Amino acid sequence: MKHRLSPLNPAWLLWPLALLYLATAGKLVQLQAFPAAERLRATAGKERSRPIPAMRGRILDRHGRTMADSLPRWRLILDLKPEERRYTRPDRKYSLEEMGNEMGLVAELAGISTGGLLGKLLDTNRCYSNIVEGLSQGAASRIQPLLNAARGTGLHLRRMEERVYPQGRSLAHVVGFTTEDEKDLSLIGACGLERMFDSELRKGKSGSLLSRSVARGYGVDLALESLPVQPAPDLRTFLDAKVGVLLREELENLQREHQPDWSCGVVINVEDSTILAIGALPDFDPNTPGDVPVSEDGQLIGHGFPGMWPFEPGSTMKPLVVSRALAEGAISPTQKFSQESGRWYVRGSKQPPIRNAQGVPSHSLNWREVLLHSSNIGAGKVGLALGADRLKTALLDWGLREPSGLPWRDQNVLFPPKVEWKKRPHWTIPAVSMGHQVQTTPLRLAAAYAALAGEGKLYSPRLFQNQEKGEGRQVLPGAIAREVRYALQDVVEAPRRAWLHDPEMEWGGKSGTVQKTHGDQKGQYTSLFVGFTPVENPEWVCVVVADNPKRKEHYGSKVAAPAVMNVLRRLSEGLAPTSSGPYLERSPFGGMLLSE
């Protein structure tokens, strides 16, 4: 008998299950064979790719301390026409109470008043406005759902980059600061290393994250594609943030006590010719670079970089000239130079006489005593013994004119023209030997003294960790360099310079005091000092220059020398800065981290 299917036959129940099984199997095969196409078809209109911009690279000191960093921040903006906005469209009416209820928490999280926020939202003359800048990631993540729940207000969150400088004013002239590009709102370097290496610090590559719509917003599906950010490389320097703060503290003390127009300092490592710190006052806080005083002509005071400005070195030139004369055999170690009763009318010169400062003995002095008493007459006679050609060569060998090899633009320095060397040698040579009619910069002078302190070998100063030390050039025999070093120790230990005595530190150095004679600066002084420690095997050289001190003192030994001595003493003792306490660095999460 032939069986027939009927509603009462259980076989009818198997057909739907079989069809469901076949459909599922076919879908699985389709997904396996064409996964990307199926996902795009299924999620069409429900996905978006969100760019993740790469931030600027960091600027680091020799120990990896952060001197410049970028943090992700958010900007709350108004970006919609009034006729399209939730609260100002012609067909929509909201009471102030209703608007306050919706926007009150947004305003609180953004750190502004509810009334201030509503005032901008209700302004029908405003299509675009920055409401708040610098919102943290946490604040933005809490604000976004509130904006999603009240769509059409015209408020949006836009990702931005905040540049932070954890070390503040320390080394600010070197590090510099950034400003915002008007075209794309990205950060660009305005000055210092930020500007010189702007392209390198912006070499990071942006990433992206694919999001899928979830309810009224977008949620991240970890199964979707993402492109990681490739960060910009760090700019690693030989600077030391602690030394920078230490130097600034001493410059502040100098400014407070002597009130010069400006002061600057350089600290350099003798052994490897690396720059530990360059600082100057007035300065600025790179976190708020616009908050600096304005001069009468409208210029921002403090954005200039006195550390690179040229000046006459004065008596700090004398050890360089004397040591070179000894090395060339132009003078003998026992030779003595008449002091002409303190007033020397140079033979063949129609210029005024060269005078010694008060306190220089009137009897003949050897080269050590010339340095000890800072005799102008003695230095001039040593220079004449060396001669014009060898003196000019010595200035070049000491690197007082050559470019530093660093990225900032080196200032041109004064140097006597050929006609002066030829027609008036009996005036030009003594003047140059005393540190007049020639200029240099603090960094170049520091490098020259590093050679004097480092066995007579001159190296180019280095700022970046990818710079090689190089072979350097021997400008003095090591034995003569050592003799001059010990002579400069006698300078700071002389009984008449009791304020420079430090029983805990063996150090040496030379002061310079330059009286200006031109224009409206006539009668003003430049006061400076160069020092090094320890004398036996110097590790550090420090230069401090102060322009136009206004209190009673103007001699370099009184104005600049105490600052140099304090910097060197604190370096040799490993002391941290006193006023700023521990070093604070911002963490990537907006908190503060202690760093050594």
Side-chain angles (χ1 to χ4, degrees):
M1 180 177 177
K2 191 174 181 180
H3 296 283
R4 306 178 69 181
L5 294 175
S6 70
L8 299 177
N9 193 328
W12 282 106
L13 300 176
L14 299 177
W15 282 104
L17 294 175
L19 292 174
L20 179 63
Y21 173 79
L22 291 174
T24 303
K27 189 65 176 178
L28 289 173
V29 171
Q30 188 177 15
L31 289 173
Q32 289 290 331
F34 310 101
E38 281 299 304
R39 194 197 74 197
L40 289 174
R41 185 184 65 81
T43 62
K46 299 181 180 180
E47 294 179 358
R48 68 174 180 179
S49 179
R50 178 165 57 90
I52 304 176
M55 292 188 290
R56 291 176 71 86
R58 299 178 299 170
I59 301 178
L60 307 177
D61 80 346
R62 63 171 54 216
H63 300 293
R65 301 186 191 97
T66 304
M67 297 190 295
D69 197 4
S70 289
L71 299 180
R73 290 289 184 259
W74 295 84
R75 177 184 285 131
L76 181 63
I77 64 171
L78 174 66
D79 190 14
L80 195 64
K81 295 178 180 180
E83 59 269 21
E84 299 175 3
R85 295 203 297 259
R86 181 183 184 90
Y87 300 136
T88 54
R89 290 203 307 260
D91 59 334
R92 299 299 296 270
K93 300 294 183 183
Y94 288 86
S95 67
L96 286 176
E97 182 179 359
E98 291 173 323
M99 290 185 286
N101 290 336
E102 285 190 336
M103 293 290 101
L105 186 54
V106 173
E108 180 181 345
L109 292 171
I112 59 176
S113 66
T114 302
L117 177 59
L118 293 179
K120 293 183 178 181
L121 293 177
L122 295 174
D123 186 354
T124 56
N125 295 319
R126 189 186 301 268
C127 292
Y128 179 89
S129 177
N130 283 327
I131 307 297
V132 179
E133 295 185 354
L135 294 173
S136 68
Q137 179 68 50
S141 64
R142 291 190 290 271
I143 290 174
Q144 187 60 61
L146 300 176
L147 300 183
N148 292 342
R151 291 186 180 276
T153 60
L155 293 176
H156 302 282
L157 287 169
R158 177 176 294 171
R159 185 184 174 97
M160 61 177 290
E161 178 181 1
E162 180 185 2
R163 198 65 166 171
V164 294
Y165 302 90
Q167 310 303 337
R169 293 174 178 269
S170 170
L171 305 172
H173 290 102
V174 181
V175 176
F177 60 90
T178 59
T179 187
E180 198 172 71
D181 190 334
E182 295 181 357
K183 295 181 180 179
D184 59 6
L185 303 182
S186 64
L187 294 182
I188 56 175
C191 67
L193 296 179
E194 291 278 31
R195 180 176 181 178
M196 299 165 193
F197 290 89
D198 184 65
S199 58
E200 287 81 356
L201 292 169
R202 301 175 72 183
K203 279 187 175 179
K205 294 185 178 179
S206 298
S208 63
L209 191 63
L210 197 59
S211 302
R212 175 176 294 160
S213 64
V214 177
R216 300 177 68 180
Y218 282 84
V220 176
D221 187 337
L222 297 180
L224 300 185
E225 297 176 356
S226 64
L227 184 65
V229 174
Q230 296 182 23
D234 295 330
L235 183 62
R236 299 180 179 273
T237 73
F238 281 120
L239 296 168
D240 190 315
K242 285 190 174 182
V243 179
V245 175
L246 187 156
L247 175 63
R248 188 178 185 278
E249 286 181 356
E250 296 303 331
L251 292 179
E252 277 190 314
N253 293 336
L254 187 157
Q255 290 281 141
R256 185 165 45 250
E257 183 173 354
H258 299 286
Q259 298 182 356
D261 290 343
W262 55 263
S263 61
C264 65
V266 175
V267 181
I268 192 169
N269 190 300
V270 173
E271 181 182 2
D272 57 12
S273 69
T274 55
I275 302 169
L276 299 178
I278 303 179
L281 291 176
D283 61 4
F284 57 91
D285 185 346
N287 294 293
T288 54
D291 297 342
V292 297
V294 179
S295 63
E296 294 181 357
D297 58 358
Q299 297 296 316
L300 291 175
I301 302 172
H303 284 180
F305 194 2
M308 293 292 106
W309 291 350
F311 61 92
E312 289 187 343
S315 294
T316 61
M317 178 71 77
K318 293 172 183 175
L320 305 180
V321 174
V322 168
S323 60
R324 192 56 178 262
L326 289 168
E328 295 283 350
I331 62 174
S332 69
T334 60
Q335 184 174 350
K336 292 194 174 185
F337 304 91
S338 170
Q339 297 306 295
E340 310 291 343
S341 299
R343 182 181 298 181
W344 180 33
Y345 292 89
V346 184
R347 178 177 57 86
S349 172
K350 296 181 180 180
Q351 299 294 329
I354 294 176
R355 302 172 186 268
N356 279 337
Q358 186 176 0
V360 177
S362 59
H363 59 76
S364 297
L365 305 176
N366 61 28
W367 71 266
R368 289 177 178 273
E369 294 168 325
V370 167
L371 297 181
L372 176 64
H373 299 288
S374 196
S375 167
N376 293 333
I377 294 173
K381 291 186 174 183
V382 171
L384 286 175
L386 189 59
D389 291 339
R390 289 190 291 186
L391 180 56
K392 286 190 292 184
T393 302
L395 298 179
L396 297 176
D397 286 348
W398 285 114
L400 300 179
R401 292 190 69 197
E402 68 183 21
S404 63
L406 299 176
W408 48 66
R409 183 174 63 87
D410 286 287
Q411 295 279 351
N412 293 324
V413 295
L414 177 69
F415 198 74
K418 291 182 179 180
V419 64
E420 293 293 323
W421 294 102
K422 186 175 181 180
K423 289 188 175 182
R424 299 198 302 172
H426 288 85
W427 173 256
T428 300
I429 293 174
V432 170
S433 301
M434 295 186 297
H436 297 283
Q437 296 191 19
V438 64
Q439 291 180 329
T440 189
T441 61
L443 180 58
R444 292 167 178 167
L445 187 60
Y449 267 75
L452 184 63
E455 300 299 310
K457 201 165 191 177
L458 180 75
Y459 295 96
S460 296
R462 294 187 295 153
L463 184 62
F464 306 104
Q465 294 188 19
N466 60 358
Q467 285 180 283
E468 295 183 0
K469 182 178 180 180
E471 296 182 359
R473 65 172 178 263
Q474 197 75 36
V475 294
L476 277 183
I480 292 177
R482 287 190 293 274
E483 287 293 316
V484 175
R485 284 207 311 265
Y486 285 110
L488 296 182
Q489 181 182 16
D490 294 337
V491 169
V492 301
E493 293 181 353
R496 62 191 183 95
R497 301 188 185 96
W499 62 92
L500 299 181
H501 297 178
D502 190 334
E504 303 299 325
M505 177 180 69
E506 291 188 348
W507 72 298
K510 186 70 186 74
S511 64
T513 307
V514 181
Q515 185 175 12
K516 302 178 183 180
T517 58
H518 299 289
D520 57 359
Q521 293 185 328
K522 188 174 182 179
Q524 298 179 7
Y525 291 88
T526 299
S527 308
L528 64 146
F529 197 91
V530 189
F532 53 86
T533 194
V535 175
E536 182 65 31
N537 186 22
E539 295 185 46
W540 307 284
V541 166
C542 178
V543 176
V544 169
V545 183
D547 188 69
N548 189 26
K550 298 178 181 62
R551 293 290 179 89
K552 294 180 179 179
E553 301 293 346
H554 61 265
Y555 288 107
S557 60
K558 289 288 187 71
V559 175
V564 172
M565 180 179 67
N566 291 336
V567 168
L568 294 176
R569 185 186 67 251
R570 294 168 69 181
L571 280 174
S572 62
E573 295 177 353
L575 297 181
T578 58
S579 62
S580 54
Y583 284 83
L584 294 175
E585 295 191 8
R586 293 181 184 271
S587 76
F589 309 103
M592 305 302 290
L593 297 175
L594 279 175
S595 67
E596 280 298 318

